[in-house]
């Protein structure tokens, strides 16, 4: 057997393979010679030019032989393909950077949404053992609608069915004082079987047991998060003292890393025995005068969520029947035939449909945006790499002529896409974390923030990212593979020209991409206009000048006399020069207490629940509320039955009539008589999109359970003195914790948090879409211009102006922008209906929004085509004529 030389090694020659390669090379040179003759060269010159263009035939033969041999070992060629793809992409840094940028933008936004949605709506919290066997149980007097469990019912289930490991819990905001400072935290009051049934372990110390549930010993378990503020290590936190709502506790254990309770979206930092609940609760007075502290010993009050672990082999239906049998004679609901125990899976998901609807609503819009982001990413990458293949048509033709199999070309194209999407996914993981951190304080529901979702990067989250990456890679490969199918076969007697088709497919792909970008931009613009319209609604007070700091004196264990002293000192706090200070029991937009009120001499005498706020100091001056009629409270009014009302209340009882001097009966038709001494404008306490509600104001008294201290900036344009106010209020009493502070503008923004999240994501994706569109159209126009180089040279030579050539070079951009704009209009209209629940002051088919979105994506498409068009116009005609 003959041996042929090969750089670096020797291989046995294959005469059959050598003859085949030689014939194909000769055919290629002959076809090139024919092309040169048709261009006007002499036969000898034509062949000489063809041979020179072809290069060293020995090297080509060796390369072709290697390619064909490697094709017989597909597994080996994948590694070679990836290395060659990386080498090829390094020679095209613009394509590499553009591809990674596109993949990063699309994957990071989708990954951020998926992580938060998975944490809130799908996955079990960290620290649970065998979560599939955990169940939630609630009481139902009518057998259909769930209600919270009463403590007596839970105790009965625990004792009657010990094999189920029944447990119960309830969340509560508490004030925590420790050696390192003061803070507020979410505490979970739990029965003794809570940790044992969940299977959670301790990082240090021990967890709560049934022996702790009697309430005799004040012990607590803290999370790793809170333990980090108590000591340098979890073990050092054990034995530390905590003051919780005025009661001393000892830390006996630290929960395992990652465990923050069983309810998704409500991270817990402190776990307390259920029996201790009365000691950290506020006293409540019943209509008959009975004073009760806490819910544990309040008859007929359900306030606990229950759970258990399903035994092996048991069914939900059978266990529900057992629970029902035990439950019926217990508690205040009575042993009716309709009463049942309602058992549901996934106890970490709220069983209340209203809570679920609050979460599902924003994720419905975010899910659409996520899907559009992935489609947009795949379309842009597909167009980019299809354009790259089109620009390498001669290289592909030579490789096919030299024996490269079509499958090898497919693998080479796939390797480039895989490398780019993998790099984009690697960058997308930290970018998604930054997006979640940026949106951390935004609320997905009334009491669920993005930060509270507990979205973590673990194997499950990385699996989601991997799934998105695989899906985007597969979709992005469609366009390059369709183009490769159109590459003409090279045979010994065939043409050496690679098919130049596929332009129509790429135009359609880019049009779909422009349409998707138009949809995202339209959604972002609709939400932006919505937020503008909402913020333009006057709330009724000067939100930008007022700061607040809330305290909970009774929750901190202060007696009534001590609360009165705190209120007096609060009215004298110094939050800055010229700053006015007032106090109130409730802040605007934060809910309110209600009292049954009836109006004397009114067409409507039935008592209705009215919102009430108890105030002290220059409250109306601080809020910027003018006195429409009458006067404000004076110190002498503390011992008088007087009331100030809002204009909506006056319209409800005495429409079109003066209200001063009229009488309201507070407490019902036979309640105490209060004289109206003032009227003020109404406030939008149900949100800026709602009408002002009827409200009445009473002087503050020492029985106030919570107090909000308000301070007004001395001049317009000055920032509200939030920090100074919080510091001053925290010094009123060593037992007090500032539970919440900030500016009233923060409360306004909290009411539109869902809209802000949706706008944040759609705006980010819309901006990314413009970049993707520009990159994709650049790739399409670049390959189109390169393909028509010779045509442009002829037109230049025949006297065509630069403007005419530029119009021809922009043809693809015009086609894509027109078709994509039409698709985008239809999609944006549909997406607007998806967002309908979030819109205010604008319709889903708002013409200004749609026109702006279409104009933006059209401008992006034309910007992407500008550089190729400029190159086509600027190159010398003689040079263009020499291009093939």
């Amino acid at each position: 057997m003959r041996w042929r030389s090969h750089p670096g090694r020797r291989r046995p020659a294959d005469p059959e393979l050598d003859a085949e390669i030689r014939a194909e090379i000769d055919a290629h040179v002959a076809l090139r010679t024919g092309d040169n003759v048709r261009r006007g060269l002499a036969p000898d010159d034509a062949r000489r030019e063809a041979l020179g263009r072809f290069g060293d035939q020995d090297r080509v033969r060796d390369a072709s032989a290697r390619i064909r041999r490697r094709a017989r070992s597909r597994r080996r060629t994948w590694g070679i393909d990836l290395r060659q793809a990386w080498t090829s992409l390094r020679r095209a840094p613009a394509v590499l950077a553009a591809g990674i940028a596109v993949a990063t933008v699309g994957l990071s936004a989708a990954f951020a949404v998926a992580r938060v949605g998975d944490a809130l709506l799908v996955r079990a919290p960290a620290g649970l053992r065998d979560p599939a066997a955990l169940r939630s149980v609630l009481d139902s007097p009518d057998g259909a609608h769930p209600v919270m469990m009463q403590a007596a019912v839970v105790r009965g289930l625990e004792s009657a069915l010990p094999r189920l490991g029944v447990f119960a819990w309830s969340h509560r905001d508490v004030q925590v004082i420790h050696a390192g400072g003061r803070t507020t935290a979410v505490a979970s009051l739990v029965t003794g079987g809570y940790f044992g049934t969940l299977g959670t372990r301790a990082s240090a110390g021990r967890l709560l047991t049934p022996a702790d549930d009697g309430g005799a010993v004040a012990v607590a378990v803290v999370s790793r998060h809170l333990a980090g503020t108590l000591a340098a290590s979890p073990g050092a936190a054990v034995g530390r003292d905590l003051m919780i709502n005025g009661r001393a506790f000892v830390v006996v254990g630290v929960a395992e890393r990652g465990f923050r309770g069983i309810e998704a979206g409500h991270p817990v930092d402190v776990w307390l025995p259920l029996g201790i609940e009365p000691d950290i609760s506020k006293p409540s007075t019943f209509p008959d005068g009975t004073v009760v502290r806490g819910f544990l010993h309040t008859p007929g009050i359900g306030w606990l969520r229950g759970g258990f672990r399903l035994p092996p082999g048991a069914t939900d239906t059978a266990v529900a029947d057992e629970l029902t049998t035990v439950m019926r004679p217990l508690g205040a609901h009575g042993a009716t035939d309709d009463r049942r125990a309602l058992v549901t899976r996934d106890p970490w998901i709220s069983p209340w449909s209203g809570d679920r609807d609050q979460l599902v609503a924003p994720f419905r819009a975010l899910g659409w945006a996520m899907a559009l982001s992935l489609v947009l990413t795949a379309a842009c990458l597909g167009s980019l790499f299809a354009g790259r293949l089109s620009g390498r048509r001669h290289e592909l033709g030579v490789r096919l002529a030299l024996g490269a199999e079509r499958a090898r070309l497919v693998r080479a194209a796939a390797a480039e896409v895989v490398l780019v999407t993998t790099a984009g996914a690697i960058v997308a993981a930290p970018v998604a974390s930054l997006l979640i951190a940026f949106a951390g304080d935004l609320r997905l529901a009334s009491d669920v923030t993005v930060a509270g979702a507990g979205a973590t990067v673990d194997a499950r989250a990385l699996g989601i990212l991997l799934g998105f990456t695989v899906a985007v890679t597969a979709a992005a490969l469609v366009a390059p593979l369709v183009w490769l199918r159109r590459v003409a076969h090279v045979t010994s007697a065939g043409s050496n020209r690679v098919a130049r088709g596929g332009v129509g497919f790429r135009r359609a792909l880019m049009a779909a991409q422009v349409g998707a970008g138009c949809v995202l931009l339209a959604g972002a613009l609709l939400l932006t206009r919505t937020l503008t319209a909402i913020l333009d609604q006057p709330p009724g007070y000067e939100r930008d000048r007022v700061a607040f700091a809330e305290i909970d004196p009774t929750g901190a264990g202060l007696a009534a006399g001590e609360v009165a002293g705190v209120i007096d000192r609060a009215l004298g706090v110094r939050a800055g020069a010229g700053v006015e200070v007032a106090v109130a029991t409730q802040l605007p937009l934060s809910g309110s207490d209600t009292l049954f009120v009836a109006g004397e001499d009114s067409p409507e005498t039935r008592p209705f629940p009215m919102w009430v706020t108890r105030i002290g100091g220059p409250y109306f001056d601080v809020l910027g509320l003018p006195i429409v009629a009458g006067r404000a409270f004076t110190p002498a009014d503390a011992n008088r039955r007087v009331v100030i009302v809002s204009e909506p209340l006056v319209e409800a009882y005495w429409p079109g009539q003066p209200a001063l001097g009229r009488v309201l009966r507070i407490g019902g038709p036979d309640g105490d008589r209060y004289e109206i001494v003032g009227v003020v404008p109404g406030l939008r306490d149900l949100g800026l999109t709602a009408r002002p509600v009827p409200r009445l104001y009473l002087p503050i008294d020492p029985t106030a359970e919570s107090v909000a201290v308000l301070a007004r900036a001395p001049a317009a344009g000055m920032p509200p003195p939030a920090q100074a106010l919080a510091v001053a209020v925290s010094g009123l009493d060593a037992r007090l914790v500032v539970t919440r502070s900030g500016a009233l503008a923060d409360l306004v923004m909290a009411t539109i948090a869902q809209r802000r999240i949706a706008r944040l994501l759609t705006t980010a994706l819309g901006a990314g879409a413009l970049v993707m569109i520009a990159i994709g159209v650049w790739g399409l126009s670049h390959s189109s211009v390169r393909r028509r180089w010779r045509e442009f040279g002829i037109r230049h030579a025949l006297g065509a102006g630069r403007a005419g050539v530029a119009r021809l070079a922009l043809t693809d951009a015009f086609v894509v922008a027109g078709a994509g704009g039409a698709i985008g209009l239809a999609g944006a209209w549909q997406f607007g209906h998806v967002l309908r629940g979030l819109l205010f002051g604008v319709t889903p088919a708002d013409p200004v929004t749609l026109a702006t979105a279409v104009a933006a994506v059209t401008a992006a498409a034309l910007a992407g085509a500008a550089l190729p068009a400029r190159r086509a116009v600027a190159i010398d005609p003689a040079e263009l004529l020499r291009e093939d």
Side-chain angles (χ1 to χ4, degrees):
M1 180 177 289
R2 293 188 303 111
W3 291 82
R4 299 175 58 250
S5 64
H6 187 276
R9 60 185 169 182
R10 297 180 63 83
R11 286 185 178 274
D14 186 342
E16 218 171 289
L17 182 60
D18 288 347
E20 182 181 347
I21 294 174
R22 190 179 299 108
E24 288 175 353
I25 292 175
D26 291 341
H28 185 82
V29 172
L31 291 171
R32 180 73 187 188
T33 301
D35 288 342
N36 291 339
V37 170
R38 285 190 291 274
R39 292 173 59 189
L41 295 178
D44 292 343
D45 294 336
R47 180 169 178 78
R48 190 179 303 109
E49 191 277 343
L51 290 172
R53 177 68 69 95
F54 191 88
D56 188 348
Q57 294 188 28
D58 289 336
R59 294 185 60 185
V60 171
R61 274 194 293 268
D62 287 343
S64 179
R66 288 198 304 272
I67 290 172
R68 297 194 184 202
R69 291 190 189 99
R70 288 169 181 166
R72 299 168 187 170
S73 177
R74 300 293 174 83
R75 185 180 303 173
R76 180 184 175 192
T77 57
W78 267 112
I80 297 172
D81 289 334
L82 288 172
R83 288 195 299 271
Q84 290 181 347
W86 173 242
T87 301
S88 178
L89 286 171
R90 287 174 58 190
R91 295 171 182 167
V95 174
L96 179 62
I100 293 176
V102 168
T104 299
V105 169
L107 290 174
S108 59
F111 185 41
V113 174
R115 274 176 55 187
V116 176
D118 178 61
L120 287 175
L121 302 174
V122 182
R123 80 153 71 192
L128 304 186
R129 304 295 178 262
D130 189 18
L134 292 174
R135 297 292 186 269
S136 176
V137 59
L138 287 170
D139 202 346
S140 177
D142 60 1
H145 299 91
V147 297
M148 301 294 271
M149 305 269 285
Q150 299 168 42
V153 175
V154 173
R155 300 300 193 198
L157 294 176
E158 283 180 314
S159 60
L161 300 170
R163 67 187 181 89
L164 298 181
V166 175
F167 64 95
W169 76 95
S170 178
H171 291 328
R172 181 167 303 181
D173 292 332
V174 295
Q175 305 175 61
V176 180
I177 301 176
H178 53 86
R182 293 177 282 179
T183 186
T184 58
V186 177
S188 191
L189 294 156
V190 301
T191 58
Y194 177 86
F195 288 107
T197 303
L198 296 180
T200 303
R201 303 188 180 98
S203 291
R206 66 174 180 88
L207 302 178
L208 299 179
T209 65
D212 299 315
D213 199 7
V217 181
V219 296
V221 171
V222 298
S223 67
R224 289 283 295 260
H225 177 263
L226 181 58
T229 66
L230 299 177
S233 65
V238 177
R240 294 295 180 95
D241 294 328
L242 296 179
M243 188 69 67
I244 300 177
N245 280 14
R247 173 72 186 268
F249 285 80
V250 176
V251 177
V252 296
V254 179
E256 67 179 280
R257 183 184 299 275
F259 182 71
R260 302 290 297 275
I262 193 172
E263 288 189 47
H266 297 87
V268 175
D269 278 318
V270 183
W271 291 268
L272 307 174
L274 183 65
I276 211 75
E277 186 263 345
D279 293 342
I280 63 169
S281 300
K282 304 173 185 177
S284 300
T285 304
F286 281 77
D288 61 359
T290 303
V291 178
V292 178
R293 192 177 182 93
F295 291 132
L296 187 62
H297 304 302
T298 303
I301 298 295
W303 58 288
L304 297 168
R305 281 190 63 188
F308 64 92
R309 185 174 291 277
L310 190 69
T315 64
D316 290 343
T317 303
V319 175
D321 291 338
E322 286 187 77
L323 292 167
T324 299
T325 302
V326 176
M327 181 185 294
R328 278 182 174 171
L330 302 174
H333 295 306
T336 64
D337 292 338
D338 292 332
R339 186 179 180 188
R340 289 196 60 82
L342 297 184
V343 173
T344 58
R345 295 175 180 268
D346 304 336
W348 47 87
I349 298 177
S350 172
W352 317 113
S353 58
D355 293 345
R356 221 171 303 151
D357 291 342
Q358 281 192 60
L359 285 177
V360 169
F363 277 105
R364 185 180 294 114
L366 294 176
W368 274 87
M370 180 182 72
L372 284 173
S373 169
L374 295 176
V375 170
L376 194 61
T377 303
C380 184
L381 290 175
S383 176
L384 189 66
F385 281 98
R388 174 167 166 74
L389 288 176
S390 178
R392 300 166 60 193
R393 61 187 184 276
H394 285 299
E395 174 192 343
L396 297 176
V398 172
R399 293 183 68 179
L400 283 170
L402 296 179
E405 294 183 351
R406 188 180 302 275
R408 182 66 186 279
L409 299 184
V410 169
R411 290 199 302 273
E416 292 190 357
V417 178
V418 168
L419 286 175
V420 167
T421 53
T422 301
I426 293 172
V427 180
V431 172
S433 297
L434 291 176
L435 286 175
I436 293 174
F438 182 73
D441 293 334
L442 295 181
R443 294 187 176 273
L444 291 160
S446 58
D447 57 351
V448 179
T449 63
V450 174
T456 58
V457 180
D458 53 12
R460 179 189 178 101
L462 294 178
I464 293 174
L465 179 59
L466 178 62
F468 285 162
T469 304
V470 171
V472 168
T473 302
L477 279 172
V478 172
L481 295 184
V482 168
W483 191 90
L484 283 172
R485 283 179 59 86
R486 303 178 65 91
V487 177
H489 288 279
V490 178
T491 63
S492 57
S495 170
N496 72 326
R497 295 188 179 279
V498 178
R500 298 178 179 180
V503 176
F505 174 77
R506 292 185 59 208
R507 286 176 176 173
L509 188 66
M510 281 305 307
Q513 179 182 335
V514 171
C518 184
V519 171
L520 290 172
L521 282 174
L525 291 171
L526 285 173
L527 291 170
T528 299
R529 296 194 66 189
T530 290
L531 295 180
T532 302
I534 292 175
L535 294 176
D536 284 343
Q537 298 293 311
Y541 50 86
E542 296 187 35
R543 61 192 179 208
D544 296 325
R545 294 182 60 183
V546 181
F548 69 90
E550 282 186 310
I551 52 176
D552 188 0
T554 58
L558 274 68
E562 293 175 310
V563 174
V566 167
I567 293 174
D568 290 339
R569 291 195 298 274
L571 289 172
V573 300
R574 295 288 181 266
V579 175
E580 295 180 284
V581 176
V583 295
T585 54
Q586 295 289 342
L587 291 168
L589 295 169
S590 299
S592 179
D593 296 329
T594 56
L595 291 174
F596 279 90
V597 178
E600 289 189 354
D601 302 325
S602 167
E604 183 57 76
T605 57
R606 290 179 301 167
F608 287 97
M610 292 290 175
W611 289 32
V612 59
T613 299
R614 299 181 182 274
I615 62 175
Y619 177 80
F620 300 116
D621 292 336
V622 170
L623 282 187
L625 280 173
I627 303 294
V628 177
R631 62 176 177 84
F633 291 132
T634 65
D637 291 328
N639 299 317
R640 299 176 55 198
R641 290 179 177 174
V642 293
V643 64
I644 296 174
V645 299
S646 66
E647 289 181 311
L649 188 146
V650 175
E651 288 299 316
Y653 283 113
W654 305 283
Q657 301 179 34
L660 291 181
R662 294 185 181 272
V663 173
L664 288 175
R665 286 192 176 271
I666 298 179
D670 299 325
D672 295 331
R673 301 174 77 250
Y674 281 76
E675 179 187 357
I676 298 175
V677 297
V679 180
V680 296
L683 306 181
R684 298 180 185 271
D685 281 307
L686 295 178
L688 297 183
T689 60
R691 298 174 62 85
V693 300
R695 176 180 288 277
L696 55 88
Y697 301 89
L698 296 171
I700 198 166
D701 59 35
T703 63
E705 293 184 353
S706 63
V707 177
V709 184
L710 300 100
R712 176 186 175 88
M718 293 183 63
Q723 184 174 2
L725 180 65
V727 171
V729 171
S730 65
L732 294 176
D733 193 290
R735 293 167 291 177
L736 287 177
V737 175
V738 176
T739 57
R740 187 172 57 156
S741 64
L744 288 188
D746 299 334
L747 301 182
V748 173
M749 300 307 291
T751 64
I752 55 176
Q754 285 190 353
R755 294 178 171 93
R756 292 172 64 197
I757 289 175
R759 185 190 64 168
L760 172 67
L761 184 64
T762 53
T763 300
L765 292 177
L770 293 179
V771 176
M772 293 184 193
I773 290 169
I775 292 173
V777 174
W778 168 79
L780 176 65
S781 298
H782 177 74
S783 60
S784 176
V785 169
R786 288 290 301 173
R787 188 180 65 251
R788 301 171 68 184
W789 235 222
R790 182 176 174 79
E791 175 190 345
F792 291 151
I794 294 173
R795 290 181 178 275
H796 272 295
L798 295 178
R802 294 183 180 272
V805 173
R807 282 195 298 271
L808 289 174
L810 292 171
T811 299
D812 286 317
F814 286 127
V815 172
V816 164
I823 296 172
L825 284 175
W829 178 80
Q830 183 63 37
F831 191 47
H833 284 278
V834 173
L835 298 174
R836 183 184 290 275
L838 299 175
L839 300 183
F840 176 81
V842 62
T843 62
D846 180 63
V848 175
T849 298
L850 297 180
T852 304
V854 172
V857 295
T858 300
L862 294 177
L867 183 59
R870 182 179 178 183
R871 290 187 61 193
V873 169
I875 293 180
D876 182 69
E879 183 179 348
L880 286 170
L881 286 172
R882 288 195 295 270
E883 290 286 342
D884 183 30

